[in-house]
Amino acid sequence: MQASNLLKLDTRASKRSNMLLEQSLAKPRRDKVSLGAFAFLFAEIIRYSQNRVLGIQDLEAKLNELGKRVGVRVFELLMWREKNVHRETRVLPTLMFINTVVWRALFDKQADSLGHSTENDDEYMITDNEPSILKYISVPKEMASFSPGAFLAGVVEAIVEGCQCPARVTSHLVPADGMPLKTVILLKFNQEVMEREKRLETTK
């Protein structure tokens, strides 16, 4: 290829880059990343991480950490972009924010359900019956205990921390009829968070 042609290609790429950099963060982009491209990238992330860990627990921890990095940025972006949304500091409003606003921003839909444990007051569950991020992920039998949703758990953990409601967040693959990728995100809030909730309830 001649040098003049290379120069033309570089100029076009530079123009596209400038257009992306000039877009306002305050306005959601109309164009969206295709599910195929997104799923391929996530599959490669898992493959890359798997080659650098010793076992399933380490792999989930690595995906969780990557999810936290994404979650911090998603939270900052939504706080900037969603003018009608303020930073929540109570448990239930925070969970509703994740269940609706965050899930819609990430997956173009809200999560399928939000539940509260009947056994432990500090435990809540966010359920997605078919997480789009996992659509093309196949977990082999020898890794049956592996939950690729650990990445989602990391995203959620970063957001609850941003809302001053820190919790231990884990992901669990719970296959059901017609829903082989059904994923439950379990949140166990820190003791000080629950104590604060009780104090706020009594002062109403």
Side-chain angles (χ1 to χ4, degrees), residues 75-122:
F75 181 66
E76 291 174 348
L77 179 60
L78 290 176
M79 288 296 99
W80 170 258
R81 180 180 289 169
E82 301 288 338
K83 301 302 182 183
N84 296 326
V85 174
H86 63 276
R87 185 188 296 259
E88 302 291 353
T89 56
R90 298 289 304 273
V91 169
L92 195 54
T94 294
L95 291 171
M96 290 297 296
F97 168 69
I98 295 171
N99 194 67
T100 55
V101 177
V102 173
W103 238 250
R104 277 200 298 262
L106 290 175
F107 310 118
D108 206 24
K109 66 162 193 170
Q110 71 177 52
D112 291 292
S113 67
L114 172 62
H116 186 198
S117 172
T118 57
E119 298 178 357
N120 301 301
D121 287 340
D122 59 352

Side-chain angles (χ1 to χ4, degrees), residues 23 33 49 64 111 146 157 191:
Q23 289 183 358
V33 177
S49 303
N64 185 271
F146 169 59
E157 187 167 342
Q191 183 177 350

Side-chain angles (χ1 to χ4, degrees), residues 8-190:
K8 289 179 182 178
L9 288 174
D10 288 342
T11 303
R12 291 172 187 168
S14 177
K15 287 181 179 178
R16 284 196 296 269
S17 298
N18 289 336
M19 288 175 63
L20 287 173
L21 293 173
E22 289 170 1
Q23 289 183 358
S24 173
L25 286 176
K27 297 179 180 179
R29 292 180 57 180
R30 295 178 182 276
D31 54 327
K32 299 177 181 178
V33 177
S34 71
L35 175 59
F38 190 66
F40 174 76
L41 176 60
F42 186 63
E44 287 303 307
I45 289 174
I46 293 179
R47 194 194 315 276
Y48 176 86
S49 303
Q50 189 175 359
N51 293 333
R52 287 161 176 78
V53 296
L54 299 177
I56 292 175
Q57 192 171 4
D58 290 342
L59 177 57
E60 289 183 345
K62 195 167 189 66
L63 290 176
N64 185 271
E65 184 59 35
L66 289 171
K68 285 182 182 178
R69 296 181 190 178
V70 172
V72 168
R73 288 159 177 78
V74 168
F75 181 66
E76 291 174 348
L77 179 60
L78 290 176
M79 288 296 99
W80 170 258
R81 180 180 289 169
E82 301 288 338
K83 301 302 182 183
N84 296 326
V85 174
H86 63 276
R87 185 188 296 259
E88 302 291 353
T89 56
R90 298 289 304 273
V91 169
L92 195 54
T94 294
L95 291 171
M96 290 297 296
F97 168 69
I98 295 171
N99 194 67
T100 55
V101 177
V102 173
W103 238 250
R104 277 200 298 262
L106 290 175
F107 310 118
D108 206 24
K109 66 162 193 170
Q110 71 177 52
D112 291 292
S113 67
L114 172 62
H116 186 198
S117 172
T118 57
E119 298 178 357
N120 301 301
D121 287 340
D122 59 352
E123 290 184 354
Y124 290 81
M125 294 81 66
I126 296 174
T127 302
D128 192 326
N129 293 334
E130 192 177 2
S132 56
I133 194 174
L134 308 183
K135 188 167 185 178
Y136 300 117
I137 302 297
S138 178
V139 179
K141 291 182 179 180
E142 62 271 18
M143 296 178 64
S145 61
F146 169 59
S147 177
F151 177 84
L152 293 177
V155 172
V156 171
E157 187 167 342
I159 292 173
V160 293
E161 287 179 0
C163 292
Q164 300 178 25
C165 296
R168 181 174 180 270
V169 186
T170 54
S171 170
H172 305 271
L173 199 60
V174 188
D177 291 340
M179 297 180 291
L181 296 174
K182 182 178 179 180
T183 300
V184 176
I185 306 296
L186 176 65
L187 301 93
K188 187 175 181 65
F189 287 95
N190 292 2

